[in-house]
Every structure is written in structure tokens, then in C-alpha cells.
Amino acid sequence: MGIFGRKNTDETVTATATVSPELAALTGDYSIDPAHSTFGFVARHAMVTNVKGKFNDFTGSLHLDGTDPSKSTATIDVTMDSIDTGSADRDGHLKSADFFKTDEFPTMTFRSTSAEALGGDDYRITGDLTILGVTKQLSIDLEFNGAAKDPFGNERVGFEGKAEILRSAWGLTWNAALETGGVLVSDKIKLNFDISAIKNA
């Protein structure tokens, strides 16, 4: 049984009928802890290898409902200048007009519009992802990793998430042809999330 109290069976059951007091107690507002969270991505480079990156500066909030997942929400704001792929030259190119135009569009945002339980500890949150001023729908599959009280008295919840996008849908179309065929940067980008969030007092 997961955070929203949905049993992992084929039988259709209502969330309110299966929720436990422990899970219901997780209901509340949370702030994402950037020191213990990661917003990353993977792109195919030159058709042969993967380049991994992440954003180091972001803020976010969650509202979790332990009895009804449809009432759960998420908001995330990412500072695009904080992109980090381990190469200063590559990061500079990604910040330039060829890609993210960070001088003109300093922030990437996500605002959820719906959430649902998929069974067990698996959930899906759907919302509006805005990059370069373009807003498109994105669905993120999440796995609930659990809840705990840390040594400082903070009540924490953890999630792992993943999604895939076509960067061209947000106007990220720069590329270069390879002599052997194909292109330098894949259109498909894999997104990955490790989220630790602290319950607000």
C-alpha cells in the first residue's frame, strides 16, 4: 500500500476505503529540499553516448493528500543558469541562444494540473511544463520511497520520478549533422527526479 492508500490489486477499491491512519497523517504541505534532491536529464550525444546533467538551483512545493491523490499538487521553479553537465563549455552553449536563452528566459516552471494513484507505491502527476515561454503538458511517473523523521525533527517524504520529452516541442531545435549520419544531440530527453521534501510547520 502506498502513500495514498491504494492497494496493489486488480480489484477496484476507493482510496478512502483503504487508507490507514499512518498514511493519512502524511497529508499536508511540503517544501522540496534542494540539498537532498536532484532534477536531472539525459541526452544522447553523437548517436553513441549519453550526456547527463542536472540543475543546481531550484525551489518547489508539494501538497500531499493521503486519502485522495487527485487533491495532491506540485510546483517547481528551476533557475536555468544553474545547468551543470560537468563541462563549462557545454554549459555555456546550453545557456546561449542556441538552446535555453537564459538571459531572456531565466526560469523553467512546472505546475501540476492532476494527480493519480497507479497502484502500490506508483503515482503519476501531470502538469504544465514551461520552457522558453512555451507551455506543454508533461506527465511524470513517481515512486513513493517512504516517509521518515530526520535527526533534526523534520518530517520528510521521498519520491523518485522519470519522464521523457521531445525538446523540439518546446522550441529547442538546435542541432548539427554528423558525417556518418544522424545528429549531434537527440531530440528525446530523459528526465529524472530524486525528491526529498520537508513537511511545513
mmCIF file with all atom_site columns, all heavy atoms in Angstrom, residues 163-183:
data_model
loop_
_atom_site.group_PDB
_atom_site.id
_atom_site.type_symbol
_atom_site.label_atom_id
_atom_site.label_alt_id
_atom_site.label_comp_id
_atom_site.label_asym_id
_atom_site.label_entity_id
_atom_site.label_seq_id
_atom_site.pdbx_PDB_ins_code
_atom_site.Cartn_x
_atom_site.Cartn_y
_atom_site.Cartn_z
_atom_site.occupancy
_atom_site.B_iso_or_equiv
_atom_site.pdbx_formal_charge
_atom_site.auth_seq_id
_atom_site.auth_comp_id
_atom_site.auth_asym_id
_atom_site.auth_atom_id
_atom_site.pdbx_PDB_model_num
ATOM 1   N N   . ALA A 1 163 ? 10.477 10.853 -16.654 1.00 0.00 ? 163 ALA A N   1
ATOM 2   C CA  . ALA A 1 163 ? 9.624  11.263 -17.766 1.00 0.00 ? 163 ALA A CA  1
ATOM 3   C C   . ALA A 1 163 ? 10.506 11.398 -19.001 1.00 0.00 ? 163 ALA A C   1
ATOM 4   O O   . ALA A 1 163 ? 11.744 11.412 -18.904 1.00 0.00 ? 163 ALA A O   1
ATOM 5   C CB  . ALA A 1 163 ? 8.925  12.583 -17.465 1.00 0.00 ? 163 ALA A CB  1
ATOM 6   N N   . GLU A 1 164 ? 9.881  11.477 -20.151 1.00 0.00 ? 164 GLU A N   1
ATOM 7   C CA  . GLU A 1 164 ? 10.592 11.719 -21.402 1.00 0.00 ? 164 GLU A CA  1
ATOM 8   C C   . GLU A 1 164 ? 9.892  12.836 -22.158 1.00 0.00 ? 164 GLU A C   1
ATOM 9   O O   . GLU A 1 164 ? 8.662  12.931 -22.144 1.00 0.00 ? 164 GLU A O   1
ATOM 10  C CB  . GLU A 1 164 ? 10.640 10.457 -22.271 1.00 0.00 ? 164 GLU A CB  1
ATOM 11  C CG  . GLU A 1 164 ? 11.518 9.351  -21.718 1.00 0.00 ? 164 GLU A CG  1
ATOM 12  C CD  . GLU A 1 164 ? 11.631 8.164  -22.664 1.00 0.00 ? 164 GLU A CD  1
ATOM 13  O OE1 . GLU A 1 164 ? 10.936 8.176  -23.712 1.00 0.00 ? 164 GLU A OE1 1
ATOM 14  O OE2 . GLU A 1 164 ? 12.395 7.240  -22.356 1.00 0.00 ? 164 GLU A OE2 1
ATOM 15  N N   . ILE A 1 165 ? 10.683 13.693 -22.805 1.00 0.00 ? 165 ILE A N   1
ATOM 16  C CA  . ILE A 1 165 ? 10.126 14.752 -23.638 1.00 0.00 ? 165 ILE A CA  1
ATOM 17  C C   . ILE A 1 165 ? 10.864 14.788 -24.967 1.00 0.00 ? 165 ILE A C   1
ATOM 18  O O   . ILE A 1 165 ? 11.978 14.273 -25.095 1.00 0.00 ? 165 ILE A O   1
ATOM 19  C CB  . ILE A 1 165 ? 10.227 16.132 -22.953 1.00 0.00 ? 165 ILE A CB  1
ATOM 20  C CG1 . ILE A 1 165 ? 11.699 16.545 -22.777 1.00 0.00 ? 165 ILE A CG1 1
ATOM 21  C CG2 . ILE A 1 165 ? 9.483  16.147 -21.627 1.00 0.00 ? 165 ILE A CG2 1
ATOM 22  C CD1 . ILE A 1 165 ? 11.876 17.987 -22.318 1.00 0.00 ? 165 ILE A CD1 1
ATOM 23  N N   . LEU A 1 166 ? 10.240 15.403 -25.953 1.00 0.00 ? 166 LEU A N   1
ATOM 24  C CA  . LEU A 1 166 ? 10.904 15.784 -27.189 1.00 0.00 ? 166 LEU A CA  1
ATOM 25  C C   . LEU A 1 166 ? 11.205 17.270 -27.074 1.00 0.00 ? 166 LEU A C   1
ATOM 26  O O   . LEU A 1 166 ? 10.285 18.098 -27.027 1.00 0.00 ? 166 LEU A O   1
ATOM 27  C CB  . LEU A 1 166 ? 10.028 15.496 -28.400 1.00 0.00 ? 166 LEU A CB  1
ATOM 28  C CG  . LEU A 1 166 ? 9.689  14.028 -28.641 1.00 0.00 ? 166 LEU A CG  1
ATOM 29  C CD1 . LEU A 1 166 ? 8.776  13.881 -29.858 1.00 0.00 ? 166 LEU A CD1 1
ATOM 30  C CD2 . LEU A 1 166 ? 10.954 13.192 -28.834 1.00 0.00 ? 166 LEU A CD2 1
ATOM 31  N N   . ARG A 1 167 ? 12.483 17.623 -26.994 1.00 0.00 ? 167 ARG A N   1
ATOM 32  C CA  . ARG A 1 167 ? 12.851 19.015 -26.746 1.00 0.00 ? 167 ARG A CA  1
ATOM 33  C C   . ARG A 1 167 ? 12.348 19.947 -27.842 1.00 0.00 ? 167 ARG A C   1
ATOM 34  O O   . ARG A 1 167 ? 12.070 21.135 -27.584 1.00 0.00 ? 167 ARG A O   1
ATOM 35  C CB  . ARG A 1 167 ? 14.368 19.146 -26.575 1.00 0.00 ? 167 ARG A CB  1
ATOM 36  C CG  . ARG A 1 167 ? 15.205 18.743 -27.791 1.00 0.00 ? 167 ARG A CG  1
ATOM 37  C CD  . ARG A 1 167 ? 16.688 18.756 -27.459 1.00 0.00 ? 167 ARG A CD  1
ATOM 38  N NE  . ARG A 1 167 ? 17.510 18.357 -28.597 1.00 0.00 ? 167 ARG A NE  1
ATOM 39  C CZ  . ARG A 1 167 ? 18.036 19.192 -29.482 1.00 0.00 ? 167 ARG A CZ  1
ATOM 40  N NH1 . ARG A 1 167 ? 17.822 20.494 -29.368 1.00 0.00 ? 167 ARG A NH1 1
ATOM 41  N NH2 . ARG A 1 167 ? 18.783 18.750 -30.472 1.00 0.00 ? 167 ARG A NH2 1
ATOM 42  N N   . SER A 1 168 ? 12.180 19.428 -29.043 1.00 0.00 ? 168 SER A N   1
ATOM 43  C CA  . SER A 1 168 ? 11.698 20.261 -30.145 1.00 0.00 ? 168 SER A CA  1
ATOM 44  C C   . SER A 1 168 ? 10.300 20.804 -29.879 1.00 0.00 ? 168 SER A C   1
ATOM 45  O O   . SER A 1 168 ? 9.921  21.858 -30.411 1.00 0.00 ? 168 SER A O   1
ATOM 46  C CB  . SER A 1 168 ? 11.702 19.466 -31.456 1.00 0.00 ? 168 SER A CB  1
ATOM 47  O OG  . SER A 1 168 ? 10.906 18.298 -31.344 1.00 0.00 ? 168 SER A OG  1
ATOM 48  N N   . ALA A 1 169 ? 9.513  20.115 -29.042 1.00 0.00 ? 169 ALA A N   1
ATOM 49  C CA  . ALA A 1 169 ? 8.162  20.588 -28.737 1.00 0.00 ? 169 ALA A CA  1
ATOM 50  C C   . ALA A 1 169 ? 8.196  21.913 -27.985 1.00 0.00 ? 169 ALA A C   1
ATOM 51  O O   . ALA A 1 169 ? 7.213  22.663 -28.000 1.00 0.00 ? 169 ALA A O   1
ATOM 52  C CB  . ALA A 1 169 ? 7.414  19.539 -27.917 1.00 0.00 ? 169 ALA A CB  1
ATOM 53  N N   . TRP A 1 170 ? 9.311  22.230 -27.327 1.00 0.00 ? 170 TRP A N   1
ATOM 54  C CA  . TRP A 1 170 ? 9.469  23.495 -26.610 1.00 0.00 ? 170 TRP A CA  1
ATOM 55  C C   . TRP A 1 170 ? 10.346 24.470 -27.389 1.00 0.00 ? 170 TRP A C   1
ATOM 56  O O   . TRP A 1 170 ? 10.820 25.457 -26.827 1.00 0.00 ? 170 TRP A O   1
ATOM 57  C CB  . TRP A 1 170 ? 10.055 23.234 -25.227 1.00 0.00 ? 170 TRP A CB  1
ATOM 58  C CG  . TRP A 1 170 ? 9.041  22.740 -24.241 1.00 0.00 ? 170 TRP A CG  1
ATOM 59  C CD1 . TRP A 1 170 ? 8.312  23.487 -23.353 1.00 0.00 ? 170 TRP A CD1 1
ATOM 60  C CD2 . TRP A 1 170 ? 8.623  21.388 -24.032 1.00 0.00 ? 170 TRP A CD2 1
ATOM 61  N NE1 . TRP A 1 170 ? 7.475  22.696 -22.618 1.00 0.00 ? 170 TRP A NE1 1
ATOM 62  C CE2 . TRP A 1 170 ? 7.638  21.398 -23.009 1.00 0.00 ? 170 TRP A CE2 1
ATOM 63  C CE3 . TRP A 1 170 ? 8.953  20.166 -24.616 1.00 0.00 ? 170 TRP A CE3 1
ATOM 64  C CZ2 . TRP A 1 170 ? 7.010  20.236 -22.558 1.00 0.00 ? 170 TRP A CZ2 1
ATOM 65  C CZ3 . TRP A 1 170 ? 8.333  19.012 -24.179 1.00 0.00 ? 170 TRP A CZ3 1
ATOM 66  C CH2 . TRP A 1 170 ? 7.372  19.051 -23.158 1.00 0.00 ? 170 TRP A CH2 1
ATOM 67  N N   . GLY A 1 171 ? 10.586 24.194 -28.664 1.00 0.00 ? 171 GLY A N   1
ATOM 68  C CA  . GLY A 1 171 ? 11.371 25.097 -29.496 1.00 0.00 ? 171 GLY A CA  1
ATOM 69  C C   . GLY A 1 171 ? 12.864 24.919 -29.384 1.00 0.00 ? 171 GLY A C   1
ATOM 70  O O   . GLY A 1 171 ? 13.634 25.757 -29.879 1.00 0.00 ? 171 GLY A O   1
ATOM 71  N N   . LEU A 1 172 ? 13.313 23.829 -28.733 1.00 0.00 ? 172 LEU A N   1
ATOM 72  C CA  . LEU A 1 172 ? 14.750 23.553 -28.605 1.00 0.00 ? 172 LEU A CA  1
ATOM 73  C C   . LEU A 1 172 ? 15.182 22.703 -29.798 1.00 0.00 ? 172 LEU A C   1
ATOM 74  O O   . LEU A 1 172 ? 15.239 21.477 -29.722 1.00 0.00 ? 172 LEU A O   1
ATOM 75  C CB  . LEU A 1 172 ? 15.030 22.839 -27.283 1.00 0.00 ? 172 LEU A CB  1
ATOM 76  C CG  . LEU A 1 172 ? 14.787 23.694 -26.033 1.00 0.00 ? 172 LEU A CG  1
ATOM 77  C CD1 . LEU A 1 172 ? 14.623 22.820 -24.799 1.00 0.00 ? 172 LEU A CD1 1
ATOM 78  C CD2 . LEU A 1 172 ? 15.925 24.683 -25.840 1.00 0.00 ? 172 LEU A CD2 1
ATOM 79  N N   . THR A 1 173 ? 15.503 23.353 -30.887 1.00 0.00 ? 173 THR A N   1
ATOM 80  C CA  . THR A 1 173 ? 15.701 22.633 -32.160 1.00 0.00 ? 173 THR A CA  1
ATOM 81  C C   . THR A 1 173 ? 17.139 22.654 -32.664 1.00 0.00 ? 173 THR A C   1
ATOM 82  O O   . THR A 1 173 ? 17.429 22.031 -33.688 1.00 0.00 ? 173 THR A O   1
ATOM 83  C CB  . THR A 1 173 ? 14.788 23.228 -33.234 1.00 0.00 ? 173 THR A CB  1
ATOM 84  O OG1 . THR A 1 173 ? 15.055 24.639 -33.370 1.00 0.00 ? 173 THR A OG1 1
ATOM 85  C CG2 . THR A 1 173 ? 13.316 23.023 -32.874 1.00 0.00 ? 173 THR A CG2 1
ATOM 86  N N   . TRP A 1 174 ? 18.062 23.350 -31.974 1.00 0.00 ? 174 TRP A N   1
ATOM 87  C CA  . TRP A 1 174 ? 19.433 23.424 -32.480 1.00 0.00 ? 174 TRP A CA  1
ATOM 88  C C   . TRP A 1 174 ? 20.025 22.021 -32.611 1.00 0.00 ? 174 TRP A C   1
ATOM 89  O O   . TRP A 1 174 ? 19.829 21.154 -31.758 1.00 0.00 ? 174 TRP A O   1
ATOM 90  C CB  . TRP A 1 174 ? 20.322 24.242 -31.547 1.00 0.00 ? 174 TRP A CB  1
ATOM 91  C CG  . TRP A 1 174 ? 21.735 24.393 -32.081 1.00 0.00 ? 174 TRP A CG  1
ATOM 92  C CD1 . TRP A 1 174 ? 22.199 25.382 -32.872 1.00 0.00 ? 174 TRP A CD1 1
ATOM 93  C CD2 . TRP A 1 174 ? 22.825 23.488 -31.879 1.00 0.00 ? 174 TRP A CD2 1
ATOM 94  N NE1 . TRP A 1 174 ? 23.526 25.165 -33.177 1.00 0.00 ? 174 TRP A NE1 1
ATOM 95  C CE2 . TRP A 1 174 ? 23.932 23.994 -32.586 1.00 0.00 ? 174 TRP A CE2 1
ATOM 96  C CE3 . TRP A 1 174 ? 22.969 22.285 -31.190 1.00 0.00 ? 174 TRP A CE3 1
ATOM 97  C CZ2 . TRP A 1 174 ? 25.169 23.369 -32.598 1.00 0.00 ? 174 TRP A CZ2 1
ATOM 98  C CZ3 . TRP A 1 174 ? 24.197 21.650 -31.207 1.00 0.00 ? 174 TRP A CZ3 1
ATOM 99  C CH2 . TRP A 1 174 ? 25.291 22.189 -31.904 1.00 0.00 ? 174 TRP A CH2 1
ATOM 100 N N   . ASN A 1 175 ? 20.786 21.804 -33.701 1.00 0.00 ? 175 ASN A N   1
ATOM 101 C CA  . ASN A 1 175 ? 21.470 20.533 -33.892 1.00 0.00 ? 175 ASN A CA  1
ATOM 102 C C   . ASN A 1 175 ? 22.582 20.692 -34.912 1.00 0.00 ? 175 ASN A C   1
ATOM 103 O O   . ASN A 1 175 ? 22.731 21.757 -35.534 1.00 0.00 ? 175 ASN A O   1
ATOM 104 C CB  . ASN A 1 175 ? 20.497 19.437 -34.332 1.00 0.00 ? 175 ASN A CB  1
ATOM 105 C CG  . ASN A 1 175 ? 20.674 18.171 -33.506 1.00 0.00 ? 175 ASN A CG  1
ATOM 106 O OD1 . ASN A 1 175 ? 21.806 17.781 -33.201 1.00 0.00 ? 175 ASN A OD1 1
ATOM 107 N ND2 . ASN A 1 175 ? 19.575 17.540 -33.132 1.00 0.00 ? 175 ASN A ND2 1
ATOM 108 N N   . ALA A 1 176 ? 23.360 19.638 -35.079 1.00 0.00 ? 176 ALA A N   1
ATOM 109 C CA  . ALA A 1 176 ? 24.419 19.602 -36.089 1.00 0.00 ? 176 ALA A CA  1
ATOM 110 C C   . ALA A 1 176 ? 24.458 18.208 -36.676 1.00 0.00 ? 176 ALA A C   1
ATOM 111 O O   . ALA A 1 176 ? 24.356 17.211 -35.946 1.00 0.00 ? 176 ALA A O   1
ATOM 112 C CB  . ALA A 1 176 ? 25.771 19.963 -35.467 1.00 0.00 ? 176 ALA A CB  1
ATOM 113 N N   . ALA A 1 177 ? 24.586 18.144 -37.997 1.00 0.00 ? 177 ALA A N   1
ATOM 114 C CA  . ALA A 1 177 ? 24.621 16.847 -38.685 1.00 0.00 ? 177 ALA A CA  1
ATOM 115 C C   . ALA A 1 177 ? 25.986 16.198 -38.510 1.00 0.00 ? 177 ALA A C   1
ATOM 116 O O   . ALA A 1 177 ? 27.022 16.867 -38.457 1.00 0.00 ? 177 ALA A O   1
ATOM 117 C CB  . ALA A 1 177 ? 24.312 17.033 -40.158 1.00 0.00 ? 177 ALA A CB  1
ATOM 118 N N   . LEU A 1 178 ? 25.983 14.859 -38.425 1.00 0.00 ? 178 LEU A N   1
ATOM 119 C CA  . LEU A 1 178 ? 27.220 14.090 -38.335 1.00 0.00 ? 178 LEU A CA  1
ATOM 120 C C   . LEU A 1 178 ? 27.592 13.564 -39.714 1.00 0.00 ? 178 LEU A C   1
ATOM 121 O O   . LEU A 1 178 ? 26.722 13.213 -40.519 1.00 0.00 ? 178 LEU A O   1
ATOM 122 C CB  . LEU A 1 178 ? 27.041 12.920 -37.364 1.00 0.00 ? 178 LEU A CB  1
ATOM 123 C CG  . LEU A 1 178 ? 26.641 13.274 -35.933 1.00 0.00 ? 178 LEU A CG  1
ATOM 124 C CD1 . LEU A 1 178 ? 26.390 11.995 -35.132 1.00 0.00 ? 178 LEU A CD1 1
ATOM 125 C CD2 . LEU A 1 178 ? 27.714 14.130 -35.263 1.00 0.00 ? 178 LEU A CD2 1
ATOM 126 N N   . GLU A 1 179 ? 28.890 13.483 -39.972 1.00 0.00 ? 179 GLU A N   1
ATOM 127 C CA  . GLU A 1 179 ? 29.352 12.964 -41.261 1.00 0.00 ? 179 GLU A CA  1
ATOM 128 C C   . GLU A 1 179 ? 28.904 11.532 -41.492 1.00 0.00 ? 179 GLU A C   1
ATOM 129 O O   . GLU A 1 179 ? 28.684 11.105 -42.624 1.00 0.00 ? 179 GLU A O   1
ATOM 130 C CB  . GLU A 1 179 ? 30.880 13.047 -41.344 1.00 0.00 ? 179 GLU A CB  1
ATOM 131 C CG  . GLU A 1 179 ? 31.425 14.457 -41.450 1.00 0.00 ? 179 GLU A CG  1
ATOM 132 C CD  . GLU A 1 179 ? 32.927 14.457 -41.635 1.00 0.00 ? 179 GLU A CD  1
ATOM 133 O OE1 . GLU A 1 179 ? 33.499 13.357 -41.865 1.00 0.00 ? 179 GLU A OE1 1
ATOM 134 O OE2 . GLU A 1 179 ? 33.539 15.536 -41.573 1.00 0.00 ? 179 GLU A OE2 1
ATOM 135 N N   . THR A 1 180 ? 28.783 10.776 -40.425 1.00 0.00 ? 180 THR A N   1
ATOM 136 C CA  . THR A 1 180 ? 28.395 9.366  -40.533 1.00 0.00 ? 180 THR A CA  1
ATOM 137 C C   . THR A 1 180 ? 26.882 9.170  -40.521 1.00 0.00 ? 180 THR A C   1
ATOM 138 O O   . THR A 1 180 ? 26.406 8.034  -40.503 1.00 0.00 ? 180 THR A O   1
ATOM 139 C CB  . THR A 1 180 ? 29.008 8.574  -39.363 1.00 0.00 ? 180 THR A CB  1
ATOM 140 O OG1 . THR A 1 180 ? 28.691 9.224  -38.128 1.00 0.00 ? 180 THR A OG1 1
ATOM 141 C CG2 . THR A 1 180 ? 30.523 8.502  -39.511 1.00 0.00 ? 180 THR A CG2 1
ATOM 142 N N   . GLY A 1 181 ? 26.136 10.277 -40.507 1.00 0.00 ? 181 GLY A N   1
ATOM 143 C CA  . GLY A 1 181 ? 24.688 10.193 -40.448 1.00 0.00 ? 181 GLY A CA  1
ATOM 144 C C   . GLY A 1 181 ? 24.183 10.453 -39.050 1.00 0.00 ? 181 GLY A C   1
ATOM 145 O O   . GLY A 1 181 ? 24.882 10.228 -38.061 1.00 0.00 ? 181 GLY A O   1
ATOM 146 N N   . GLY A 1 182 ? 22.965 10.933 -38.963 1.00 0.00 ? 182 GLY A N   1
ATOM 147 C CA  . GLY A 1 182 ? 22.413 11.267 -37.659 1.00 0.00 ? 182 GLY A CA  1
ATOM 148 C C   . GLY A 1 182 ? 22.764 12.682 -37.256 1.00 0.00 ? 182 GLY A C   1
ATOM 149 O O   . GLY A 1 182 ? 23.303 13.469 -38.036 1.00 0.00 ? 182 GLY A O   1
ATOM 150 N N   . VAL A 1 183 ? 22.472 12.996 -35.979 1.00 0.00 ? 183 VAL A N   1
ATOM 151 C CA  . VAL A 1 183 ? 22.679 14.353 -35.486 1.00 0.00 ? 183 VAL A CA  1
ATOM 152 C C   . VAL A 1 183 ? 23.441 14.320 -34.165 1.00 0.00 ? 183 VAL A C   1
ATOM 153 O O   . VAL A 1 183 ? 23.566 13.275 -33.521 1.00 0.00 ? 183 VAL A O   1
ATOM 154 C CB  . VAL A 1 183 ? 21.327 15.076 -35.286 1.00 0.00 ? 183 VAL A CB  1
ATOM 155 C CG1 . VAL A 1 183 ? 20.667 15.358 -36.628 1.00 0.00 ? 183 VAL A CG1 1
ATOM 156 C CG2 . VAL A 1 183 ? 20.397 14.273 -34.386 1.00 0.00 ? 183 VAL A CG2 1
#
